[in-house]
Amino acid sequence: MKMDKIENVVNRLRKNRYATLSTPLKKEDFLAIKDMMEEEGFPTIEDGMFELFRFLDGIAYNGVELFCCYPGALREGNYSLPDIISSNREFREYYSRHEEYKDSFLYIGRTDEDLVLFDAENGKYLICAREDLMVYEETDNFADLVQMVFNGRL
């Protein structure tokens, strides 16, 4: 069921000529990125996220960016989709001073002016305000998050 939600979004994106899409990620590459993130001290990528990465290593479309695992996985003109490791380095450096910041946050994307996070402490996917990390929306699974961020955009 979860895969069907993600696959539905991916198929709709593939039909849209304005969508900038990347190539799929192999399971061994996904596991290697998980290891690299652990070495960096970041929360691990939840396995449910592989359901998207097996179709596309990141998405940039209509104000939504779901970060790629490998730098340069998605390039178009002068634009390059941020990768999850570099993005989390910057996120931690900037937000670690904020009251609402938690070490269990994994920065996985953004939508317009909001941040998309995974909280490894409680297993929730969050859409938060960029200024103060106030949570606007949350869900327990990645497939629902993907649907949530693309709702009204496809």
Side-chain angles (χ1 to χ4, degrees):
M1 176 102 138
K2 291 177 187 174
M3 184 181 71
D4 293 340
K5 292 178 183 179
I6 292 173
E7 193 168 11
N8 179 41
V9 169
V10 169
N11 287 336
R12 290 172 66 197
L13 285 166
R14 285 183 174 150
K15 291 176 185 173
N16 188 315
R17 66 185 179 124
Y18 299 108
T20 303
L21 306 175
S22 61
T23 58
L25 189 68
K26 295 177 186 150
K27 183 72 171 187
E28 57 268 19
D29 294 333
F30 179 73
L31 295 174
I33 291 294
K34 284 179 76 166
D35 289 343
M36 291 169 63
M37 293 185 71
E38 186 176 317
E39 289 171 16
E40 292 264 354
F42 298 131
T44 189
I45 300 175
E46 198 263 332
D47 285 338
M49 291 177 66
F50 183 68
E51 293 305 320
L52 171 66
F53 291 132
R54 71 186 195 89
F55 293 110
L56 304 167
D57 185 8
I59 299 173
Y61 177 74
N62 197 11
V64 174
E65 292 177 320
L66 295 177
F67 300 145
C68 56
C69 287
Y70 282 102
L74 194 156
R75 291 183 191 272
E76 185 172 285
N78 292 329
Y79 172 79
S80 181
L81 181 66
D83 69 276
I84 200 163
I85 292 177
S86 298
S87 297
N88 275 278
R89 284 181 192 135
E90 293 169 12
F91 174 79
R92 182 169 281 175
E93 183 178 323
Y94 182 79
Y95 283 98
S96 62
R97 297 179 294 279
H98 283 67
E99 184 179 330
E100 299 298 319
Y101 174 82
K102 297 188 321 188
D103 284 337
S104 61
F105 283 161
L106 181 65
Y107 182 34
I108 60 174
R110 53 188 168 219
T111 64
D112 297 320
E113 297 298 317
D114 299 326
L115 305 178
V116 181
L117 307 174
F118 173 67
D119 186 348
E121 182 178 89
N122 62 20
K124 301 267 187 197
Y125 291 91
L126 313 169
I127 298 176
C128 303
R130 181 179 302 200
E131 304 81 26
D132 59 6
L133 301 178
M134 183 177 85
V135 176
Y136 292 134
E137 296 185 69
E138 66 179 50
T139 184
D140 292 328
N141 71 66
F142 186 69
D144 288 342
L145 174 77
V146 170
Q147 277 196 316
M148 194 182 309
V149 298
F150 285 103
N151 186 31
R153 296 175 193 263
L154 288 173

